[in-house]
Amino acid sequence: MEAGKVYFVGAGPGAEDLLTLRGAALLEEADVVVYAGSLVNAALLKRCKPEAEIHDSARLDLNEVLDILIPAAKAGKRVVRLHTGDPSVYGAHREQMDALKAAAVPFEVCPGVSSFFGAAASLGAEYTLPGVSQTVILTRAAGRTPVPEKERLSALAAHGASLVLFLSAGRAAEAVEELLRGGYYTTETPAAIVYKATWPDERILRTTLGELAKDAEAAGITKTALLLIGDFLGAEYENSKLYDPSFTTEFREGKQA
Ligand code: SAH
């Protein structure tokens, strides 16, 4: 870890031991840590040195975060900006990198396990099933941050791909209505709500698209949840060619039946 540099670190989805080895080493050495307290598991901070200076960004705006990161790096400190999941997904990450570039502060990114991987693990699901879907769409319902018109949920839904909605549990009813308008998914399409994936208080609800909004509401789940939709959550699929006994690959000769 270099002094005078900012390390953006993906904290993983929640469980303390789903931080990467690299991320753990960076946290252990950091002099200054700014973490997204609304979603990052504070238990991860047990790794920090006792004298490390720790800030929760939940109450800070972008300028206030930068006013910590930039002077600390310029003073030769080792700085970690800890983001939930992976910083590249709804991380408000680019604006921080660009501000550091403008301030001539060097930075590096250490990836993390995104919550959509955590949710798949908890569900025992595979997003890309042969004969079902080979595409995963990560998106959100429009909220205070608008979603570009070209990506409205009904348009994305028309693909019938495996779909993961971030930041949308509180708008499940509107999201479902839009998704059904797409023409591929039906009220019977399998769906799941995963609340706090990989945290000790994780909750999993398996449902259908038709029941999704009602189930989220009944469970009181309005945030820190992913909504997952698609036939990848159903029972039907084909086995992969890669491990098909009769399939020849670069590494293996197929067996005749
Ligand atoms: N960068 C993060 C996402 C940040 S946006 C990542 O890679 O996962 C915040 C949204 O992510 C939440 O509203 C919720 O939809 C989702 N999220 C984050 N952690 C989660 C978890 N452990 N379980 C379920 N959803 C989670």
Side-chain angles (χ1 to χ4, degrees), residues 79-110:
V79 184
V80 164
R81 173 71 171 114
L82 191 60
H83 278 276
T84 175
D86 183 87
S88 70
V89 184
Y90 304 111
H93 181 214
R94 172 72 183 268
E95 61 205 36
Q96 298 174 76
M97 293 191 286
D98 283 347
L100 294 186
K101 264 184 218 161
V105 169
F107 63 87
E108 197 176 306
V109 184
C110 171

Side-chain angles (χ1 to χ4, degrees), residues 10 12-15 38-40 83-92 112-119 138-140 164-169 193-199 202-203 222-228:
S38 53
L39 278 169
V40 167
H83 278 276
T84 175
D86 183 87
S88 70
V89 184
Y90 304 111
V113 177
S114 179
S115 58
F116 82 96
F117 290 132
L138 307 181
T139 188
R140 60 170 298 170
V164 184
L165 288 179
F166 287 74
L167 298 158
S168 304
I193 303 163
V194 183
Y195 170 77
K196 293 190 89 176
T198 82
W199 287 73
E202 167 185 283
R203 276 197 286 164
T222 56
K223 58 178 199 167
T224 330
L226 293 172
L227 309 180
L228 303 102

